[in-house]
Amino acid sequence: MREQSGAGLPRLVLIVALSLAVLLAAGVATLGVLSGETGPGAPTERGNSTTARGDREGPLALPPVKAPEADSDECGTVLAELPDELRVDGSGVPRRELAEPKPAGTVAWGDAEHDPISLRCGLTAPAELKPTSKLMVVSGVSWLPISSGDTTTWLAVDRPVYVAITGPNDTGIGPVQDVSRILRAELPHREVFE
């Protein structure tokens, strides 16, 4: 009898533990769906990951994110130099109006034929930026690409302020090249990890 009750107790504990784990996972998933922010594609401190396909008309709403340097002189310089059009697949994509309240340090491009591309300046360093991160140098500027679902955020990490460009995965490198030239010309280089 003792062997049976001893063997039954661990099985009961295992069943309860598994049941609690399933309930916890379901609760977290439900909260994510209800809040509209699920997983890596949710808006984060690095920029806007909510650029959605099909959002091509009217003012573009960008949620606020932590950007303590958005009103800095460096961001002001970058924003003043940004082009009226970005190159995407050989086409010029015009600036897009932002919905109010417009977060500081933001600009967007897009039209009826192109999904939105947003730029944010003055962000905080993202958790993804580590000494082991694989950076990509584009036109003399070091970028950290962060993919999430249908979008990729490119974060310039070697300037006095962090600048992020977010757009659909199929946007190509054109916008990053355009912005790289501005960052290289207007902002001094700094070490990624100082």
Side-chain angles (χ1 to χ4, degrees), residues 5 17 21 29 79 85 90 100 106 116 118 124 133 135 143 146 149 153 155 159 162 165 185-186 189 192:
S5 64
L79 295 177
E85 290 186 339
E100 295 294 336
T106 60
S118 63
T124 57
S133 296
L135 303 180
W143 294 87
I146 305 167
T153 296
L155 185 75
R159 303 296 140 167
Y162 292 108
I165 302 170
E186 301 297 331
H189 177 270
V192 177

Side-chain angles (χ1 to χ4, degrees), residues 72-97:
S72 68
D73 291 341
E74 291 87 357
C75 283
T77 298
V78 170
L79 295 177
E81 295 297 322
L82 290 172
D84 291 333
E85 290 186 339
L86 286 180
R87 290 179 297 124
V88 176
D89 295 330
S91 307
V93 179
R95 285 248 188 138
R96 172 106 181 248
E97 180 184 357

Side-chain angles (χ1 to χ4, degrees), residues 64-171:
V65 297
K66 193 171 181 181
E69 301 295 322
D71 291 320
S72 68
D73 291 341
E74 291 87 357
C75 283
T77 298
V78 170
L79 295 177
E81 295 297 322
L82 290 172
D84 291 333
E85 290 186 339
L86 286 180
R87 290 179 297 124
V88 176
D89 295 330
S91 307
V93 179
R95 285 248 188 138
R96 172 106 181 248
E97 180 184 357
L98 294 176
E100 295 294 336
K102 174 184 157 184
T106 60
V107 173
W109 295 267
D111 58 18
E113 289 81 40
H114 299 92
D115 290 314
I117 299 167
S118 63
L119 178 139
R120 292 180 184 261
C121 186
L123 303 170
T124 57
E128 292 89 348
L129 182 60
K130 299 175 176 139
T132 56
S133 296
K134 293 188 186 220
L135 303 180
M136 181 178 265
V137 178
V138 178
S139 299
V141 177
S142 294
W143 294 87
L144 174 64
I146 305 167
S147 293
S148 178
D150 290 341
T151 62
T152 298
T153 296
W154 292 81
L155 185 75
V157 296
D158 65 350
R159 303 296 140 167
V161 290
Y162 292 108
V163 177
I165 302 170
T166 301
N169 290 336
D170 61 0
T171 299

